[in-house]
Amino acid sequence: MTIFRPKFITFDCYGTLTRFRMADMAREMFADRVSAENMPMFVRQFAAYRLDEVLDQWKPYEEVVKNAVKRTCARWNVQTTDEEAGKFYQAVPTWGPHADVPEPLARVAKEFPLVIFSNASDDQIQQNVDKLGAPFHKVFTAQQAQAYKPRLRAFEYMLDNLNCNPEDVLHVSSSLRYDLMPASDMGIKNKVFVARGHEPSTPHYGYTEITDIGGLPGVVGL
């Protein structure tokens, strides 16, 4: 079997590499205002509002997060404050990687240039990247692109700045909605879905599925 050797391996960061704790924080912060029975839907809608917030023209990530918190709370008639909503944004750079990430990522980095495109702000992302335990060739953000994934403009920015074509990269993400669906639309044929349980597998989009980053070296023949 021929193993694809990409010019770059490109990654989503939050959720795929970094353990993204928005849902955990919501469960902890609103436990006194949202019942245990309603909490799963509250958390699900919080995620949906974050997605909805990035589909329009770019705005700072702090606004994305705060707006999503406030819209979710308004839907559930739950009281919150700007200060409380801001705690979610402030927590992001403190989050480290999933336990399965550092060792295999460092192994892959010895053979391939690694790239991140993250729906992040420039003043936060490097603190998360520094915790991943591997060198990155480039780190791109939505702030730089002035567009968030899943907008195609975000992927265009990444490919243009890497000076490469869609067929040159292997894109790795735990999200179909943010990454692998638009990546497929962009003509990125080589994709890896990290099945962390955020979203169900949808094989129609044509990817290799792994349970964690420990499976990535095998995908690229290491």
Side-chain angles (χ1 to χ4, degrees):
M1 183 177 69
T2 301
I3 300 293
F4 175 60
R5 294 188 62 84
K7 289 183 180 179
F8 303 99
I9 302 180
T10 58
F11 294 86
D12 165 60
C13 186
Y14 297 151
T16 302
L17 301 178
T18 295
R19 185 177 169 228
F20 199 55
R21 297 197 65 247
M22 288 281 180
D24 296 337
M25 283 190 68
R27 292 185 190 100
E28 295 164 7
M29 190 172 294
F30 295 107
D32 61 337
R33 283 160 280 175
V34 178
S35 70
E37 179 184 5
N38 288 333
M39 187 61 79
M41 181 56 73
F42 182 88
V43 169
R44 179 180 174 183
Q45 291 183 347
F46 179 32
Y49 278 122
R50 292 197 305 274
L51 175 61
D52 191 63
E53 284 288 324
V54 301
L55 295 177
D56 203 345
Q57 295 300 310
W58 181 86
K59 55 180 170 282
Y61 188 57
E62 184 173 13
E63 292 184 26
V64 168
V65 174
K66 285 184 174 181
N67 289 351
V69 173
K70 293 173 183 176
R71 291 175 69 188
T72 307
C73 287
R75 184 174 182 86
W76 286 84
N77 197 27
V78 168
Q79 295 298 312
T80 190
T81 64
D82 189 73
E83 180 181 6
E84 186 173 56
K87 290 180 180 179
F88 287 84
Y89 175 77
Q90 293 159 12
V92 172
T94 71
W95 297 337
H98 291 282
D100 56 86
V101 168
E103 188 279 327
L105 195 67
R107 209 177 342 145
V108 171
K110 293 177 182 178
E111 301 291 333
F112 300 94
L114 308 186
V115 175
I116 279 174
F117 187 102
S118 178
N119 279 359
S121 61
D122 290 343
D123 63 352
Q124 290 187 322
I125 188 62
Q126 195 58 47
Q127 295 174 71
N128 299 110
V129 173
D130 289 343
K131 296 177 178 68
L132 296 177
F136 279 81
H137 173 70
K138 293 286 185 182
V139 176
F140 300 120
T141 68
Q143 182 175 354
Q144 295 163 21
Q146 296 288 285
Y148 288 98
K149 300 177 296 182
R151 297 196 64 197
L152 298 187
R153 183 181 297 177
F155 287 89
E156 288 173 337
Y157 179 88
M158 180 179 74
L159 294 171
D160 288 348
N161 279 273
L162 291 174
N163 193 29
C164 70
N165 298 314
E167 59 268 24
D168 296 327
V169 306
L170 175 67
H171 191 65
V172 182
S173 178
S174 62
S175 175
L176 271 294
R177 296 178 81 180
Y178 279 95
D179 281 86
L180 298 181
M181 290 180 182
S184 179
D185 292 337
M186 283 292 297
I188 297 175
K189 296 180 180 179
N190 297 286
K191 299 177 290 296
V192 171
F193 176 50
V194 187
R196 295 203 183 276
H198 312 316
E199 301 171 18
S201 181
T202 310
H204 168 79
Y205 290 95
Y207 48 71
T208 298
E209 184 169 327
I210 59 178
T211 56
D212 58 44
I213 298 299
L216 184 60
V219 174
V220 291
L222 300 181

